[in-house]
Amino acid sequence: MRRCIMTNDVETTSIINGGLRVETGDRVWKEGLPLILDIYAKYNIRATFFFIAKYAKRCPEIVTMVHKAGHEVALHGLTHDHKLSFDTMSYELQLEHLVEGKKILEDIAGEEIVSFRSPALRVNSDTPRALVEAGFRYDSSVAPQRLDMFMSLGSKNKMQWLKAPRTPYETAIDNLARRGNSGIIEVPVSSFGAPYIGTAMRVAPRLTKLTRSLVYCETKDTNKVVNFLIHPIELITEPQLNEKIERRSKNPIAYLLSDVIRHQLKLKNLGEPAVKLFEKEIEYWLENKYDFVTIKDINGKEK
Ligand SMILES: [Zn+2]
């Protein structure tokens, strides 16, 4: 079974200017999302979209346009504010965010929301229990054996990725990166040491071609699923405001690695070049006879 999932994180994070911005949200709504929906329509494929619920509350059209086009509507958290990331919140607060976020999206889409991806893929040992309690059935916040975790925020918890299974699996009740019987199905984000995501596609197109062929070899004759992560904002450009990069890390080395260098790298091939690269990714999987499915199409019984 050859299956590929295009997962889209819909948020107000500005790649060019850093931070969460209302203007960025408006651009995603009016330009980025319509553009990526046109691409999916052109290739006649379905995808999964993870939304920040507070953003969806302000611009419900972002959800309705995706829902009308037949894609899966899923939750990317109530907010993308890194001060309220899932790995730092208590169980109670995580649950509150999940319940409120789910309700906002369900009210707009008029259907049950069952899939979740944590902002910045940050989770902790309370997250699976909170997901179960809030009524979720799927998670896609784990990137097995992805080594760029050292350059990202919350890297201590992401050490769990080193031993995470690569085929969709039922998670443990206290760890999304381990097998268990929580009732939550993890659909891991593809990687092969290097991440298989939009950012890598833009920043290191040649390395990504290699990653992609390794992912192909691994998935073509197995029940493993290709799960490519992209942000609609990557396909458009925004004016650069030239403000100082927001400092999220306290430690100066972490600041340099995860904020400054990362910021410079992330600007490569935004907009039109990203569209061309992204279409090549889609064409590759289509040529290799992969079915494009959504997160909730996975049954978790894959071995
Ligand atoms: Zn995100």
Side-chain angles (χ1 to χ4, degrees), residues 207-268:
L207 173 65
T208 301
K209 262 176 113 169
L210 173 68
T211 311
R212 179 227 275 158
S213 51
L214 291 169
V215 171
Y216 168 71
C217 289
E218 188 191 20
T219 54
K220 63 180 169 138
D221 299 317
T222 65
N223 281 322
K224 294 187 172 67
V225 179
V226 181
N227 181 354
F228 184 81
L229 182 162
I230 192 162
H231 304 83
I233 186 72
E234 298 182 69
L235 305 184
I236 58 173
T237 48
E238 284 185 276
Q240 187 153 14
L241 301 172
N242 233 351
E243 284 172 24
K244 216 171 154 274
I245 304 305
E246 189 197 357
R247 181 167 183 157
R248 298 171 303 177
S249 320
K250 288 190 196 93
N251 171 319
I253 292 167
Y255 171 62
L256 190 68
L257 285 176
S258 32
D259 291 339
V260 179
I261 294 177
R262 206 155 155 258
H263 177 75
Q264 290 308 320
L265 276 172
K266 279 182 129 180
L267 303 186
K268 244 183 97 182

Side-chain angles (χ1 to χ4, degrees), residues 9 11 76 80 119-120 231:
D9 294 356
E11 52 193 74
H76 191 35
H80 217 291
H231 304 83

